[in-house]
Amino acid sequence: MKLIVDKNKAGLTSKEFYEYLKTPVPSTTFTQEEADEIRKTLEDAHKELGGLGISATQLGIKKRACYIKFGDEELFLVNPVIKEKSKDGFLFYEGCLSIPRTLDKPVKTIRACKVIIDTDNLGELTFEINPEGDKAGEQVSKETMMTVIVQHEIDHLDGLTIKDRVYN
C-alpha cells in the first residue's frame, strides 16, 4: 500500500502529489462490490498508517471516497460533497499523512464552523463545532474534530490540501 506524499526523496514536489492530491476527483458510480473493496482498502490503510482519516486519492485511487475514524465514530463516505458551509470560521492546527512534516509541526488552518455534506451512501450529514465542549489547551470535542476531519478529507477529493487552507 503506497501513500502519496508531497515530496520525493530529492525534496521536490512529486508528480503523484499533483496528479492525485492537487486534482479534483469527479463523482463516479460505484458498484456495491467496488464500494466494499475501497472501504476495506481505506480501513486497512488507516490501520497501517494511522491518522484520523484517509481519502482514496491519498492511496493513488481516483475515486471520490474517504474513511474517517475518530474515537467511536466511524464513517465511510461515497462521493461526498460539501453542499453548504457557514460563513463563520475557526482556526485549527492540522497535520496530514501526505505532508509528513506537518505531523510533527501542524499548520494553522481556517475551517468552516458548520458544514452540510451530501453522500451517495449516507445521504445528507451535518457537522458543527461544539465550542462549549472544547476546552482551551485541554481537549477538543468530538463534534469539532469531526467537523475538521470531514472538511480535510473532502478537500483531498477536491484537489486541496492543508497548504491551501493555511491561515497567516
Side-chain angles (χ1 to χ4, degrees):
M1 176 169 327
K2 181 178 180 182
L3 176 68
I4 307 294
V5 294
D6 62 337
K7 303 286 184 188
N8 61 24
K9 290 181 181 168
L12 304 172
T13 302
S14 70
K15 284 184 0 185
E16 288 177 322
F17 187 76
Y18 283 112
E19 182 181 349
Y20 292 101
L21 292 169
K22 297 299 291 175
T23 305
V25 177
S27 290
T28 53
T29 303
F30 287 79
T31 64
Q32 186 60 52
E33 187 177 321
E34 287 174 317
D36 292 344
E37 185 179 315
I38 288 175
R39 181 182 182 132
K40 176 155 181 22
T41 299
L42 294 174
E43 285 177 347
D44 291 348
H46 177 265
K47 287 176 189 163
E48 181 182 321
L49 302 168
L52 303 174
I54 192 147
S55 70
T57 54
Q58 287 178 279
L59 301 177
I61 302 167
K62 290 185 180 183
K63 292 283 188 177
R64 199 165 176 90
C66 59
Y67 174 79
I68 295 166
K69 182 157 177 48
F70 180 73
D72 60 354
E73 192 86 28
E74 183 177 10
L75 291 173
F76 172 63
L77 305 175
V78 174
N79 288 319
V81 175
I82 295 175
K83 65 184 238 180
E84 194 177 315
K85 61 170 70 172
S86 65
K87 290 186 182 353
D88 296 336
F90 68 104
L91 300 177
F92 198 85
Y93 284 91
E94 292 183 59
C96 179
L97 293 170
S98 289
I99 308 173
R101 69 186 171 284
T102 65
L103 298 176
D104 293 327
K105 191 175 179 184
V107 297
K108 189 190 307 185
T109 61
I110 188 159
R111 293 291 180 185
C113 292
K114 178 180 178 179
V115 292
I116 299 173
I117 70 168
D118 198 30
T119 68
D120 285 357
N121 61 326
L122 299 176
E124 185 177 284
L125 302 169
T126 301
F127 298 90
E128 187 169 10
I129 66 168
N130 176 5
E132 293 81 32
D134 299 333
K135 301 205 178 10
E138 290 180 35
Q139 71 180 32
V140 176
S141 68
K142 178 170 80 169
E143 296 87 356
T144 297
M145 285 300 296
M146 290 300 290
T147 302
V148 171
I149 299 165
V150 163
Q151 291 177 75
H152 180 110
E153 296 308 327
I154 292 175
D155 272 356
H156 283 309
L157 303 173
D158 289 338
L160 301 168
T161 69
I162 57 175
K163 290 179 178 181
D164 301 301
R165 300 288 185 202
V166 170
Y167 180 82
N168 290 321

